[in-house]
Amino acid sequence: MIAFVSGPVAAVNPASAVVEVGGVGMLVHCGPATLAALTVGEPAKLYTALVVREDSLTLFGFGSDDERVVFELLQTASGIGPKVAQAMLSVHAPDTLRMIFMTGDEAALTQVPGIGKKGAQRLLLELKERLGPPSGAVPGQAQNGWTRAGLGSWRIQLLEALTGLGWSAREADDAVTSVAPLAAEQEAAGQTVQLGPLLKAALRTMKK
């Protein structure tokens, strides 16, 4: 197994990159976020998973080893191949996926191209216990609401946005709880929950 490739980036294509390793160009299939972090001529390290087929050997690359691990776990579900697994990681970060499966968020899964309502329901049943809890979980998060049933997709996206801005998981969850009434008002009016206004409101509460 090739655990990772490291070397200068020789080329970046729409769905793949070429990394020079010992004078050999390794073609690595990557998601958009991973490709966006690569620069031709600059050194890079990609964690990789080798997919073996009768007629091909395909190398998939990721910016972190956690992404690689989740990529391989996703493929243990029936009907999920490397392309769909990569699409899932292109839409949701590893810990977001773990939260989705912990909370049974069907709507968040259907955001992935190629996954419909029935497919999402099947995946939730098959993978719920395999991905484990979010790697950033800390004692007390269950009480703060990270694992409560019914966690909506807007909550997951808002939590991810806040932690991505540098706030701790506990601070982010408190802020999400504070703006939940705003989301409830939108839902009661039959509107789609708008993440932008919620994020601004959450940031205002965190600056007080």
Side-chain angles (χ1 to χ4, degrees):
M1 176 181 176
I2 302 174
F4 66 87
V5 295
S6 180
V9 178
V12 177
N13 305 308
S16 64
V18 178
V19 179
E20 183 179 340
V21 181
V24 177
M26 305 288 286
L27 179 66
V28 187
H29 294 264
C30 307
T34 301
L35 291 170
L38 303 178
T39 302
V40 174
E42 295 294 323
K45 181 177 183 179
L46 295 175
Y47 296 87
T48 56
L50 181 63
V51 176
V52 180
R53 296 287 186 265
E54 290 184 3
D55 57 350
S56 66
L57 296 173
T58 307
L59 204 58
F60 289 84
F62 309 91
S64 71
D65 193 49
D66 191 31
E67 287 180 276
R68 180 193 62 78
V69 170
V70 172
F71 172 77
E72 294 183 338
L73 285 173
L74 291 173
Q75 292 178 77
T76 62
S78 58
I80 298 299
K83 290 185 178 180
V84 175
Q86 187 178 57
M88 293 173 74
L89 284 164
S90 295
V91 175
H92 299 297
D95 268 359
T96 303
L97 283 171
R98 292 186 177 102
M99 208 179 307
I100 287 170
F101 283 103
M102 284 178 60
T103 58
D105 193 343
E106 181 183 308
L109 271 186
T110 58
Q111 294 174 9
V112 179
I115 298 180
K117 182 179 178 66
K118 290 184 178 179
Q121 293 172 343
R122 176 177 54 77
L123 286 174
L124 288 172
L125 289 174
E126 288 192 45
L127 294 174
K128 183 176 182 179
E129 304 299 331
R130 298 183 195 176
L131 295 188
S135 59
V138 295
Q141 281 181 343
Q143 290 87 351
N144 287 333
W146 278 71
T147 60
R148 62 174 169 263
L151 188 63
S153 60
W154 70 265
R155 288 180 180 270
I156 292 175
Q157 294 177 51
L158 189 54
L159 284 167
E160 184 179 8
L162 291 170
T163 53
L165 290 172
W167 301 97
S168 71
R170 189 181 299 274
E171 291 171 328
D173 189 66
D174 288 343
V176 169
T177 299
S178 71
V179 301
L182 297 177
E185 290 177 6
Q186 295 179 26
E187 292 174 330
Q191 302 172 353
T192 300
V193 176
Q194 299 297 313
L195 188 62
L198 290 180
L199 178 58
K200 291 179 181 179
L203 289 171
R204 284 197 295 268
T205 69
M206 299 172 90
K207 292 178 180 177
K208 290 181 179 180

